[in-house]
Amino acid sequence: MYAIVEIAGAQFKVSKEQWLYTPKLQSEVGTLLTFDKVLLLDDEEGTVVIGAPILNKVTVKAKVLEHTKGDKIIVFKKKRRNGYKVKRGHRQEHTKVVIEDIIK
């Protein structure tokens, strides 16, 4: 059983007891979350239900494990023959969640 869920503007394919990194969520560690924007559901029998645009009465329960940062990305800008060089780094913030249950 899996579902396609929209979390913080991004779509994820989730199944029970799977953990994933989402964009930073404003929740404390250990908080139980409920995601109700389920776009697609595939149950144990192989039946696929597609929402238009979302499925009603289907929710995904998750728990926040930790808040982390991703790998550093180097942003380097240069304009030739002008002596212009800029080097900057960026680390995106993520929230690690574990999917506890998919309720239909």
Side-chain angles (χ1 to χ4, degrees):
M1 177 184 220
Y2 71 89
I4 306 281
V5 183
E6 183 177 335
I7 302 171
Q11 295 178 6
F12 296 95
K13 179 181 176 182
V14 297
S15 58
K16 191 173 179 180
E17 297 181 7
Q18 173 191 2
W19 57 266
L20 60 123
Y21 290 99
T22 65
K24 176 91 187 248
L25 301 174
Q26 297 298 322
S27 300
E28 297 294 324
V29 175
T31 305
L32 295 175
L33 301 174
T34 302
F35 302 116
D36 55 354
K37 288 189 177 181
V38 179
L39 306 173
L40 182 137
L41 179 68
D42 183 9
D43 55 4
E44 291 90 10
E45 295 89 33
T47 306
V48 177
V49 182
I50 300 172
I54 62 172
L55 294 171
N56 295 329
K57 302 177 184 174
V58 178
T59 58
V60 174
K61 302 228 182 248
K63 183 178 181 181
V64 176
L65 296 179
E66 64 179 340
H67 298 289
T68 61
K69 287 187 175 183
D71 294 335
K72 182 175 259 192
I73 297 173
I74 303 298
V75 179
F76 185 74
K77 299 179 182 180
K78 179 182 176 182
K79 294 184 182 177
R80 62 185 190 156
R81 295 187 298 270
N82 291 327
Y84 174 78
K85 290 188 226 176
V86 176
K87 182 179 177 182
R88 292 193 178 125
H90 175 75
R91 291 184 72 186
Q92 188 69 35
E93 294 183 339
H94 299 289
T95 300
K96 184 177 180 181
V97 297
V98 62
I99 305 300
E100 292 188 339
D101 198 12
I102 300 173
I103 302 170
K104 58 179 182 171

